[in-house]
Amino acid sequence: MNVRMILLDCINAVLKKKGKPQIQELDERVSLRLDLGFDSLDLAELTVRLEDKTGIDIFAQGPVDTISEILRRLSDGHTDR
Amino acid sequence: MLLSDVAHVGKLNVVQDGEFRHLAKLNTLSPVGGNLIFIEDIKYARDVDPTLVSCVITRVDLVDTLLSQSPGIGVAASEQPRESFYKIHHYLLDSGFYFAKKPTYVHPSAVIAPGVKIAPHNVRIGANTVLEDGVIIKENVVIGNNCLIQSGTIIGNDCFEVTTIDGVQTLVRHAGQVIIGNNCVIQSNCTISRGLFPSRNTVIGEEVIIADLVHIAHGVHIGHKTRIAAGVVVAGNVEVGENVWIGPSAVISNNIVVEDKAYISIGAVVVRNVKAGEKVAGNFAIEYRTLLKTLGRALLDE
């Protein structure tokens, strides 16, 4: 499964727990906080879900917010290994 | 002042007389030396620095240990060293040992609301400083220029230091000061306690902003430009650096050091020193990211 699909699945897992509608595709401009209503704990859960699936800590270099930023961290994480 | 001068007050057996100029606790000694302290536990006997400590009140069985370690210091034995020490402290407080009474000075440009109470002695209020209605300023308080103290705040009260004197649990009266720098704001219903001893006053730097319902305990130092949100408790002798953020309802335990530009998150309970620039959160507070990952893991397992 590629990283975009993994990210989509993980975001939807958090949204499901929050009782919010799922997203169908990744829009790289989307802000997790402003557009999807993620708070700090939601971001923490997403971080852990992504790390379990990819081995990459997306917060290692500081906070992220947009889908674009997360994809870049996931891509950089794969490149570093 | 000699140990023998106050032996009758503290019921001391003076084994070796000595002179002291300050009373202090081991962690707040006056750096100029001449400190009188008390020791009830042998583990603290090792920490006695004879260049700073000139006299010790201690248990009979610790006398020889202290004298062998620091032969030149004054040592007095007491059945209750802590009680003796604080009895002597109260006696000296009443006798004018710590400070002379000087008339209070309020700068002519200061704005003092009608309902403000200011102690008649040992207070200085700086130029253009505003004290809103209901503010109480007790003795031994210095407030700089251009400060704003909002309603209901009390500055210079005794803090939470408790001992037993003659069988009665007693609040220890304080002898130190509160010193507040220029351009500070202290919002409503705060308490800023004065130092227990002059060797460790409560000091607030310049441009410090403190929100409502904050308690600053005795001996706390707050560095310049630090911001303290509502409901915070800063316990005794805490050292907070410059440009620190302390979030709402955070608690900082006593004797902690928070270095410059640290960030204490909302509701954090800080029981370990915080390094410069570090961001901590949680109860007990740990590095912010580590806490979030731990919580994220817990949420995953729900």
Side-chain angles (χ1 to χ4, degrees):
Chain A
M1 193 186 282
N2 68 31
V3 288
R4 293 182 72 93
M5 291 301 298
I6 291 171
L7 177 58
L8 183 64
D9 278 355
C10 290
I11 289 174
N12 278 331
V14 176
L15 286 170
K16 187 176 179 184
K17 278 182 77 175
K18 287 167 72 73
K20 292 204 163 185
Q22 309 281 278
I23 58 175
Q24 303 309 310
E25 57 185 15
L26 293 179
D27 179 344
E28 296 197 12
R29 298 164 299 176
V30 162
S31 159
L32 295 174
R33 283 190 187 273
L34 297 175
D35 298 319
L36 299 183
F38 275 36
D39 63 16
S40 298
L41 291 177
D42 296 327
L43 288 168
E45 184 183 338
L46 178 66
T47 301
V48 172
R49 286 182 180 276
L50 284 171
E51 190 171 7
D52 280 353
K53 289 193 184 293
T54 67
I56 297 165
D57 177 357
I58 60 168
F59 269 89
Q61 271 83 52
V64 289
D65 183 43
T66 64
I67 302 286
S68 161
E69 287 167 351
I70 297 174
L71 286 170
R72 195 171 315 121
R73 293 278 172 90
L74 290 171
S75 166
D76 291 347
H78 276 294
T79 306
D80 289 346
R81 283 188 295 160
Chain B
M1 185 74 61
L2 297 173
L3 271 177
S4 51
D5 292 333
V6 293
H8 65 289
V9 176
K11 292 184 185 168
L12 305 179
N13 172 24
V14 179
V15 176
Q16 178 165 290
D17 209 355
E19 185 180 6
F20 62 90
R21 296 188 297 281
H22 311 278
L23 270 69
K25 297 172 87 171
L26 254 182
N27 62 340
T28 55
L29 298 173
S30 169
V32 301
N35 291 280
L36 165 64
I37 65 170
F38 73 92
I39 288 179
E40 291 187 322
D41 192 318
I42 192 167
K43 68 182 178 189
Y44 298 114
R46 286 190 298 271
D47 296 331
V48 173
D49 177 353
T51 65
L52 293 176
V53 175
S54 60
C55 295
V56 181
I57 300 172
T58 190
R59 299 188 336 232
V60 169
D61 58 304
L62 296 180
V63 168
D64 289 343
T65 303
L66 279 163
L67 281 174
S68 66
Q69 191 179 283
S70 307
I73 64 172
V75 177
S78 166
E79 289 183 16
Q80 301 287 346
R82 180 185 174 93
E83 180 172 345
S84 295
F85 177 82
Y86 281 120
K87 273 184 160 177
I88 291 167
H89 163 61
H90 282 170
Y91 169 80
L92 293 175
L93 191 58
D94 290 333
S95 68
F97 170 81
Y98 289 109
F99 48 83
K101 277 200 189 290
K102 296 177 185 172
T104 283
Y105 172 78
V106 178
H107 194 279
S109 64
V111 178
I112 312 294
V116 170
K117 291 185 170 57
I118 302 176
H121 297 102
N122 296 353
V123 175
R124 289 185 65 85
I125 309 287
N128 305 312
T129 281
V130 176
L131 271 52
E132 290 186 352
D133 217 358
V135 166
I136 297 175
I137 309 294
K138 298 203 171 184
E139 277 193 1
N140 295 353
V141 172
V142 175
I143 302 176
N145 304 323
N146 307 311
C147 291
L148 169 62
I149 315 295
Q150 294 193 307
S151 293
T153 282
I154 301 174
I155 301 178
N157 54 310
D158 290 345
C159 198
F160 188 65
E161 183 80 15
V162 177
T163 193
T164 299
I165 293 182
D166 296 329
V168 178
Q169 189 164 254
T170 304
L171 194 69
V172 176
R173 292 157 56 204
H174 284 46
Q177 289 183 290
V178 176
I179 302 169
I180 298 172
N182 300 325
N183 302 303
C184 289
V185 175
I186 300 175
Q187 291 196 282
S188 295
N189 298 313
C190 294
T191 52
I192 316 288
S193 302
R194 59 182 169 181
L196 175 56
F197 302 110
S199 57
R200 180 79 185 190
N201 291 316
T202 302
V203 179
I204 296 175
E206 307 218 333
E207 294 181 49
V208 172
I209 312 285
I210 298 176
D212 303 329
L213 297 165
V214 168
H215 172 61
I216 305 292
H218 51 209
V220 168
H221 291 179
I222 307 286
H224 303 319
K225 297 186 187 253
T226 280
R227 300 163 306 287
I228 302 178
V232 164
V233 173
V234 183
N237 305 311
V238 165
E239 190 82 28
V240 177
E242 297 185 5
N243 237 314
V244 171
W245 165 262
I246 305 178
S249 296
V251 175
I252 305 179
S253 186
N254 57 314
N255 302 313
I256 294 296
V257 176
V258 179
E259 294 183 9
D260 295 347
K261 297 184 183 177
Y263 186 107
I264 313 290
S265 293
I266 182 171
V269 177
V270 180
V271 297
R272 288 184 175 176
N273 293 342
V274 183
K275 292 188 175 43
E278 192 179 4
K279 182 173 180 177
V280 298
N283 178 0
F284 297 132
I286 59 175
E287 195 272 326
Y288 177 73
R289 271 191 50 243
T290 304
L291 176 75
L292 278 194
K293 282 188 77 173
T294 306
L295 292 174
R297 177 71 53 196
L299 287 168
L300 209 59
D301 294 338
E302 277 183 349

